[in-house]
Amino acid sequence: MKIILLYGGKSAEHEISLLSAHSILQAIMYSVYTVQPIYITKDGRWIKGEVLDQPSLGDQQLILRSSDQMGWSDANTPSQGIEIAPGAIQEKDAIVFPVLHGPNGEDGTIQGFLEVLDMPYVGAGITASATGMDKIITKALFNQAGIPQVPYVAFTDSEWKLQQEALIQKVEGTLLYPLFVKPANMGSSVGISKVQDKKCLIEAVTEALKFDRRIVVEQGIQAEECEVAVLGNADIHVSTVGHLVKKQDFYDYNEKYVNNTIEMEIPAHLPENVIDQIQNYAKRAYLAIDGAGLARADFFVTSNYDIYINELNTMPGFTQFSMYPSLWQATGLNYRDLIEELLQLAMTRYHARRQLTQALID
């Protein structure tokens, strides 16, 4: 079977996608699969590379260029590709692995496109991808599922323009500094700021509005960050719980992915009943958004062991050292077998959907 690997994308998390794709390519069982790399550039061009039957040399090799972007001297470089229309990826007996993080990849757009092409794909469907990406919608669903969350205030760019002072009063009357200001539809801490006063709040909202028109302001709390990996379709499995060992209160995008200053403690040193509750909340959150394939559930745990869900990431970072595969490694499922399990879950879900569609036609 051929795996069509989609990576890159029109997203601020483009570089993370390259790292994830490179790691996946090192672990594919090439005795069973070939891989068709499809690189989506930052400006949305789809570049098709040569079919791979062995691992790539490095993540930079995955930055493909079409012939019109290269000089004649580059004609035989391994990064040469052909620009294609997105629909040209449609192929029988192929499965798509969309290793795309953030908007235009993890938010239901690619998933809807692949549904139209009638192709099996790894990960969550349209509903789970769209809701999992949107912090405001997930908060509403988690509240309905009875999963504790920190207090928050949400608003749009138009509301901010027309009612800025009223919104500031609402925020300061409802929440206490420090606060976290977040774009509703971004991941990997892109556009997120920690603020201590009104001046910083205004600056942080201005920054967040560069990434999304909808904003969430959350109550900051003294807590540890813990994460659990979820795997499955109807039959849901959860990993052991991991803990992010922080040397400072807040890590932005650069600290997480450029400077790589975050350490992971797996398993987390927590009481057994707390671990059980975190895992239970992770399953409930996964069901609440209609999850499928995989997700990483992120939580805050206070010194009193109060638990608050932060978010559910439907396509988490997938390097061999990322939290999601590391959690499964610690639980007894290695990286290569995890990829194989995700491929099988994708095929199972695809065939189940086709049976439902056929039943409706009949």
Side-chain angles (χ1 to χ4, degrees):
M1 179 177 284
K2 180 183 288 185
I3 298 171
I4 298 175
L5 191 70
L6 296 182
Y7 61 94
K10 293 172 60 177
S11 167
E13 300 174 70
H14 184 98
E15 282 72 22
I16 305 168
S17 175
L18 288 175
L19 295 173
S20 294
H22 172 63
S23 291
I24 289 169
L25 284 171
Q26 308 316 300
I28 293 291
M29 290 189 286
Y30 289 98
S31 59
V32 180
Y33 303 103
T34 58
V35 180
Q36 174 65 74
I38 304 289
Y39 173 55
I40 304 175
T41 67
K42 289 184 178 181
D43 61 357
R45 302 173 71 181
W46 290 49
I47 311 296
K48 179 180 180 179
E50 295 182 1
V51 174
L52 302 176
D53 57 8
Q54 60 185 352
S56 62
L57 300 178
D59 59 282
Q60 293 304 301
Q61 186 188 32
L62 299 180
I63 302 176
L64 303 175
R65 294 286 183 267
S66 59
S67 56
D68 66 308
Q69 296 174 291
M70 304 173 70
W72 288 107
S73 61
D74 300 322
N76 296 316
T77 63
S79 59
Q80 184 178 11
I82 301 171
E83 183 170 356
I84 61 170
I89 70 167
Q90 188 176 37
E91 187 173 335
K92 284 188 176 182
D93 300 321
I95 181 170
V96 181
F97 201 142
V99 194
L100 299 164
H101 306 303
N104 301 303
E106 193 182 346
D107 58 357
T109 51
I110 286 292
Q111 290 73 23
F113 169 68
L114 296 174
E115 294 279 2
V116 170
L117 294 184
D118 190 29
M119 296 188 70
Y121 59 91
V122 170
I126 302 169
T127 301
S129 298
T131 56
M133 193 72 208
D134 192 298
K135 295 178 176 64
I136 297 174
I137 294 176
T138 52
K139 286 180 180 300
L141 291 173
F142 295 159
N143 182 60
Q144 189 175 29
I147 306 171
Q149 306 173 78
V150 298
Y152 69 96
V153 174
F155 51 86
T156 65
D157 57 350
S158 58
E159 290 173 326
W160 179 252
K161 290 175 184 176
L162 297 172
Q163 311 169 41
Q164 179 172 315
E165 194 57 40
L167 284 172
I168 291 172
Q169 290 179 11
K170 181 179 180 181
V171 168
E172 294 184 330
T174 307
L175 312 174
L176 299 172
Y177 292 106
L179 307 172
F180 285 92
V181 179
K182 304 179 178 182
N185 281 277
M186 284 300 299
S188 301
S189 297
V190 175
I192 296 180
S193 303
K194 181 180 180 180
V195 301
Q196 300 283 358
D197 53 42
K198 178 179 176 179
K199 179 177 180 293
C200 291
L201 173 63
I202 295 171
E203 293 173 351
V205 172
T206 301
E207 177 65 18
L209 286 172
K210 295 176 182 178
F211 299 95
D212 194 14
R213 52 173 291 273
R214 297 162 71 242
I215 302 298
V216 178
V217 181
E218 292 180 356
Q219 176 66 64
I221 59 172
Q222 284 293 113
E224 302 293 337
E225 292 187 39
C226 295
E227 302 181 347
V228 60
V230 188
L231 180 69
N233 294 336
D235 188 16
I236 302 170
H237 302 273
V238 291
S239 71
T240 187
V241 176
H243 167 224
L244 296 181
V245 181
K246 301 192 298 182
K247 297 178 181 178
Q248 58 194 61
D249 288 340
F250 172 60
Y251 288 84
D252 61 13
Y253 178 91
N254 284 333
E255 291 300 316
K256 282 185 176 181
Y257 299 105
V258 179
N259 300 329
N260 196 25
T261 56
I262 292 184
E263 297 177 14
M264 299 180 294
E265 177 185 81
I266 305 175
H269 296 309
L270 293 169
E272 188 173 340
N273 65 310
V274 175
I275 290 175
D276 289 343
Q277 187 64 75
I278 291 173
Q279 292 172 326
N280 176 263
Y281 283 151
K283 285 185 177 182
R284 284 162 60 178
Y286 196 70
L287 288 170
I289 71 164
D290 190 30
L294 74 161
R296 192 194 68 229
D298 301 348
F299 295 88
F300 300 123
V301 181
T302 70
S303 57
N304 294 325
Y305 299 124
D306 294 322
I307 303 167
Y308 302 96
I309 192 166
N310 180 25
E311 62 182 2
L312 201 69
N313 190 324
T314 57
M315 185 53 73
F318 220 90
T319 74
Q320 293 192 29
F321 307 105
S322 297
M323 180 63 100
Y324 184 85
S326 296
L327 286 167
W328 281 118
Q329 182 74 43
T331 309
L333 183 64
N334 67 45
Y335 190 84
R336 172 170 287 187
D337 290 340
L338 173 60
I339 292 173
E340 179 61 25
E341 181 65 21
L342 288 171
L343 293 168
Q344 295 303 320
L345 285 169
M347 292 303 300
T348 299
R349 182 170 174 272
Y350 172 73
H351 289 304
R353 286 201 320 276
R354 292 203 71 181
Q355 286 180 354
L356 285 173
T357 301
Q358 191 60 48
L360 290 171
I361 294 172
D362 294 341

